[in-house]
Amino acid sequence: MPSGESLEPALSMVFRKLPGVSASGMGLRLSQKFVFLLFLSALVTLCFGALFFLPDSVRLKRIFLSKTETQPVTVGSGSENDVREHFKKPKEQDHPRGMTSAKGESSTRLKSLRRKPPLPPLATEERLSGGRAQEDLTLSRTRTESASEKASAADRGSDSDTFSYARFQRCLLKPPLGRDHGKPSDPRTDERREKVKEMMKFAWDNYKLYAWGKNELRPLTKNGHIGNIGASIIDSLDTLYIMGLMDEYNDAKEWVKTSLDLNSNGEASLFEVNIRYVGGLLAAYYLTGEEVFRSKVLELGEKLLPAFSTPTGIPRGVINLGSGTSWSWGWASAGSSILAEFGTLHLEFVHLTELSKNPIYTEKVMNIRKLLNKIEKPHGLYPNFLSPVSGNWVQHHVSIGGLGDSFYEYLIKSFLMSDKTDGDAKKMYYEAMEAIEANLVQKSPGGLTYMAEWRGGILDHKMGHLACFSGGMIGIGADDGAPEKRQHYLDLAAEITHTCHESYSPTKLGPEAFRFDDGGEATATRLNDRYYILRPEVIESYMYMWRLTHDPKYREWGWEAVQALEQHCRVEFGFSGIRDVYTTAVSHDNMQQSFFLSETLKYLYLLFSDDDLLPLEDWVFNTEAHPLPVIRKSCLQDEVTQEKAVSE
């Protein structure tokens, strides 16, 4: 029976078909009464069935469901039913298309990883072989910002159980793009900033021309890298927007709207999907208010939850977004999870909870933190490998570079993003810093400060390019430690950044790793450490140290890097990494990494901009340089209270 139709015609038809029944229903014999009751019970059953199965009966159906079926489950150690209970979707909605099987050419593997631990030698070799006028810019950006105004209008009157973009905007201390889009008053600095913007447009235009929709551009062969889920597009959204490249931004937004398919039967790195896709979509939404980014990121966040279905709640590193199955990396010790991977989820997952108002995301990452606080740490250090089954360390290898790096970054940034209310993150960060200083920080014979790696008590006097982010990390954490140690941390940050700058020689680009043994000083003594794949970490520290100290040397060092990128990495159809930073007769690796667009060029642009472009008081950058706003709970609650007072 169609929902909403009157039952009266149906009743009339039933009674007409009962023999010997008068219109008044009087004069029924016993057998007739029995038949009548039988039909009446069938009718009641039919009506109740309509309440539960017809599409318009959802509200009535809720009335009859037990409370336990509608309550969210408690998320503890990652039971396999967590996701099913929170997100029930019919199977026919799962369309495994767009991202094909891992066996095919368009596998979803994100092969050119940044924060992922160093690949085995064979995999590394495979990877290596392989502006408009101001008035037009204002008009273009206005078209985009109108969507943000619509979002603000839409959430007026919404309560505290719903995310309100308007409230979020009002709780920022400063406009995200500054008074004049961060334009510096110094003409030379502005000229340098414009050069970085030109580099971004050049890189983007070639990607769009030769690799559109693929993960990355291969600039020498003018084709796309494996994968059809547009890593370079998602990674570029916020960079294009803050640089005012609005035509390019709108092209990227349209691709997200029409072509980004989040179903996959191939393998994907939980970590890489989180920092690039979740981070990129979150940043694009917070900067623009475009609803397409919010809906896509919430859909994606839901798909990541099955990776946490382990006995400990520590997620496995690889996930099939289509089926929800997950597993550990084959090269990881004893099926372990990686510190830098499961420890680099907190910022994004807290914001997924903010947007969805579903606590499951925050509960998942807080469960990780709870376990890490509980287990014993050798000398206060966090080893890089942890079993998701037993919850115990698998090896005692500690690194501030690959395998460990962004775990520490997310501790201090979780504290900052919480408006400095997350005392647990603060405590964990400064305790880790004390252990790092006591065990890993070293001084070379030449006076360079570096962070060695720790292998069960034996120091390896090596520092990876990835570890060079730590200058900026230590710098932004200097203000919130013990007051008497503020200058100490600033000095340490400056020393680490200086050491990383010294590794940028003679091409003014730095190797993948450099050593401080056998008489070497910040030098790659091994052939397989000499490559540079457009990494951002050194430039990232320049940007933070500039904002913290305004020492002009950081801008000069950044300009050195711009010139080196132009001289050695710019090719006819994009930018490419190089195989050996110690020779000027460069050999290119034929890969324009997506993080070059997201991080390297963004950090350079910010370095040459005024500090009010994405001010650090309001924004925290995730490890892929996607800006996420500080969450001011007290301000948001005040906004709700004021809205209610006005409405009453």
Side-chain angles (χ1 to χ4, degrees):
M1 180 187 300
S3 176
E5 289 185 3
S6 171
L7 295 178
E8 186 175 341
L11 286 168
S12 177
M13 290 297 295
V14 169
F15 280 110
R16 287 191 191 114
K17 292 180 180 179
L18 289 173
V21 179
S22 68
S24 65
M26 300 295 292
L28 295 178
R29 292 189 297 272
L30 182 62
S31 61
Q32 291 175 321
K33 290 180 180 180
F34 175 77
V35 173
F36 168 74
L37 290 173
L38 185 65
F39 272 86
L40 186 61
S41 63
L43 179 62
V44 171
T45 302
L46 178 65
C47 293
F48 271 86
L51 289 176
F52 277 83
F53 296 109
L54 291 180
D56 289 339
S57 63
V58 175
R59 291 181 183 175
L60 290 172
K61 184 175 178 180
R62 286 177 185 159
I63 297 173
F64 293 94
L65 288 175
S66 67
K67 292 182 180 179
T68 56
E69 290 181 278
T70 58
Q71 293 296 320
V73 296
T74 300
V75 181
S77 61
S79 73
E80 294 182 0
N81 292 321
D82 282 350
V83 182
R84 296 193 192 99
E85 290 300 320
H86 276 77
F87 303 102
K88 293 183 179 178
K89 296 173 66 176
K91 289 183 179 179
E92 56 267 23
Q93 289 185 15
D94 294 330
H95 303 296
R97 54 191 171 85
M99 298 186 291
T100 63
S101 169
K103 295 179 181 178
E105 171 65 17
S106 57
S107 165
T108 59
R109 291 175 189 157
L110 298 171
K111 289 185 178 290
S112 48
L113 307 182
R114 179 174 75 81
R115 296 291 190 191
K116 179 182 171 182
L119 298 173
L122 289 177
T124 302
E125 181 57 29
E126 177 192 8
R127 177 175 62 192
L128 296 180
S129 63
R132 66 176 48 247
Q134 182 64 40
E135 55 269 25
D136 293 337
L137 165 61
T138 303
L139 288 172
S140 299
R141 185 176 269 126
T142 300
R143 286 197 296 271
T144 300
E145 288 174 346
S146 65
S148 139
E149 292 166 3
K150 290 176 184 176
S152 299
D155 36 51
R156 286 192 193 102
S158 59
D159 60 30
S160 58
D161 294 329
T162 307
F163 178 81
S164 166
Y165 191 78
R167 286 189 212 123
F168 150 71
Q169 287 182 309
R170 291 194 294 268
C171 287
L172 294 176
L173 301 178
K174 298 178 181 178
L177 301 182
R179 295 181 303 277
D180 191 17
H181 309 298
K183 182 180 176 66
S185 57
D186 173 47
R188 187 179 70 158
T189 303
D190 187 44
E191 182 180 341
R192 291 177 173 182
R193 189 174 86 140
E194 287 300 308
K195 177 59 185 173
V196 175
K197 180 177 177 178
E198 183 276 329
M199 293 166 70
M200 179 65 187
K201 186 173 185 342
F202 175 74
W204 174 264
D205 286 348
N206 281 286
Y207 167 78
K208 184 180 179 186
L209 189 60
Y210 299 112
W212 187 244
K214 296 287 187 178
N215 281 343
E216 289 119 348
L217 165 69
R218 292 186 180 275
L220 301 184
T221 50
K222 295 189 289 184
N223 64 329
H225 185 228
I226 193 168
N228 290 310
I229 52 174
S232 289
I233 297 175
I234 306 300
D235 260 349
S236 295
L237 280 164
D238 50 20
T239 307
L240 294 169
Y241 185 78
I242 69 169
M243 288 186 179
L245 294 169
M246 299 311 295
D247 289 342
E248 293 77 5
Y249 161 79
N250 284 318
D251 288 341
K253 180 183 72 173
E254 187 63 23
W255 184 88
V256 172
K257 184 183 298 184
T258 61
S259 302
L260 177 59
D261 193 323
L262 298 175
N263 295 291
S264 166
N265 279 327
E267 69 177 32
S269 162
L270 170 70
F271 165 75
E272 295 291 336
V273 169
N274 180 62
I275 66 172
R276 299 181 191 224
Y277 291 84
V278 176
L281 292 168
L282 283 172
Y285 174 67
Y286 281 121
L287 287 171
T288 69
E290 298 277 6
E291 181 59 27
V292 62
F293 302 132
R294 181 178 181 272
S295 61
K296 286 288 186 182
V297 79
L298 292 181
E299 178 187 353
L300 179 55
E302 175 186 330
K303 290 178 177 294
L304 298 183
L305 290 172
F308 294 81
S309 295
T310 66
T312 61
I314 297 294
R316 295 186 174 95
V318 191
I319 187 168
N320 183 312
L321 296 177
S323 67
T325 56
S326 63
W327 59 96
S328 298
W329 293 107
W331 50 264
S333 300
S336 57
S337 296
I338 314 302
L339 180 68
E341 297 195 341
F342 67 77
T344 309
L345 303 168
H346 198 100
L347 302 184
E348 296 84 0
F349 272 49
V350 167
H351 272 289
L352 286 174
T353 284
E354 282 297 307
L355 292 189
S356 68
K357 295 303 178 183
N358 190 330
I360 190 172
Y361 300 103
T362 297
E363 289 169 356
K364 291 295 187 186
V365 291
M366 292 305 292
N367 181 66
I368 294 172
R369 189 186 288 180
K370 180 180 179 181
L371 185 145
L372 290 176
N373 272 324
K374 183 174 64 175
I375 61 177
E376 184 179 353
K377 290 166 277 294
H379 298 278
L381 297 168
Y382 290 83
N384 294 330
F385 296 95
L386 183 77
S387 168
V389 176
S390 69
N392 296 321
W393 304 116
V394 175
Q395 289 184 358
H396 282 191
H397 171 215
V398 178
S399 170
I400 311 304
L403 300 169
D405 50 7
S406 47
F407 162 71
Y408 306 97
E409 174 188 359
Y410 270 38
L411 288 178
I412 186 60
K413 288 184 175 179
S414 294
F415 172 63
L416 297 174
M417 195 181 79
S418 71
D419 199 22
K420 302 183 179 182
T421 62
D422 187 349
D424 189 46
K426 176 181 178 179
K427 180 175 182 290
M428 290 176 70
Y429 171 75
Y430 287 108
E431 287 179 352
M433 277 303 305
E434 288 181 10
I436 288 167
E437 283 201 78
N439 295 280
L440 305 184
V441 174
Q442 303 290 308
K443 186 81 76 173
S444 75
L448 296 178
T449 301
Y450 64 98
M451 291 189 177
E453 298 190 5
W454 191 82
R455 301 180 184 274
I458 300 173
L459 285 183
D460 183 3
H461 295 273
K462 160 193 162 185
M463 187 169 177
H465 193 291
L466 289 167
C468 285
F469 86 98
S470 60
M473 176 189 74
I474 297 168
I476 61 173
D479 279 342
D480 298 295
E484 66 274 11
K485 296 195 72 173
R486 179 182 184 277
Q487 192 58 50
H488 167 75
Y489 282 131
L490 283 176
D491 291 343
L492 178 60
E495 291 169 14
I496 293 289
T497 305
H498 172 72
T499 296
C500 292
H501 173 261
E502 291 302 295
S503 76
Y504 269 47
S505 177
T507 56
K508 300 300 182 183
L509 295 173
E512 181 70 3
F514 45 92
R515 307 190 70 87
F516 297 86
D517 48 17
D518 300 325
E521 290 276 330
T523 302
T525 57
R526 302 177 184 181
L527 289 175
N528 60 357
D529 285 338
R530 292 185 174 187
Y531 62 90
Y532 172 71
I533 56 172
L534 307 175
R535 288 202 186 275
E537 286 76 21
V538 175
I539 294 164
E540 176 182 353
S541 285
Y542 294 168
M543 189 279 291
Y544 281 118
M545 293 307 293
W546 162 256
R547 289 212 173 177
L548 294 168
T549 69
H550 291 116
D551 187 329
K553 73 182 178 187
Y554 296 114
R555 278 183 166 172
E556 292 305 314
W557 290 353
W559 184 242
E560 283 179 1
V562 169
Q563 293 174 307
L565 287 166
E566 284 284 288
Q567 181 179 351
H568 302 299
C569 299
R570 185 165 181 154
V571 294
E572 187 175 359
F573 301 105
F575 287 87
S576 171
I578 61 177
R579 298 175 187 276
D580 191 340
V581 297
Y582 296 118
T583 175
T584 54
V586 298
S587 173
H588 294 101
D589 68 10
N590 193 27
M591 183 67 70
Q592 180 175 283
Q593 306 281 355
S594 78
F595 55 69
F596 178 68
L597 308 173
S598 173
E599 300 184 74
T600 309
L601 293 177
K602 182 187 291 156
Y603 283 133
L604 284 168
Y605 190 78
L606 292 171
L607 177 63
F608 299 121
S609 297
D610 277 357
D611 293 357
D612 65 354
L613 179 59
L614 298 177
L616 298 184
E617 301 97 314
D618 281 329
W619 299 90
V620 170
F621 294 92
N622 87 337
T623 200
E624 193 79 0
H626 295 306
L628 302 175
V630 170
I631 299 172
R632 296 189 168 91
K633 289 286 189 185
S634 58
C635 172
L636 292 170
Q637 188 56 50
D638 288 346
E639 289 287 331
V640 171
T641 302
Q642 291 175 16
E643 287 170 8
K644 288 181 177 178
V646 170
S647 64
E648 291 172 359

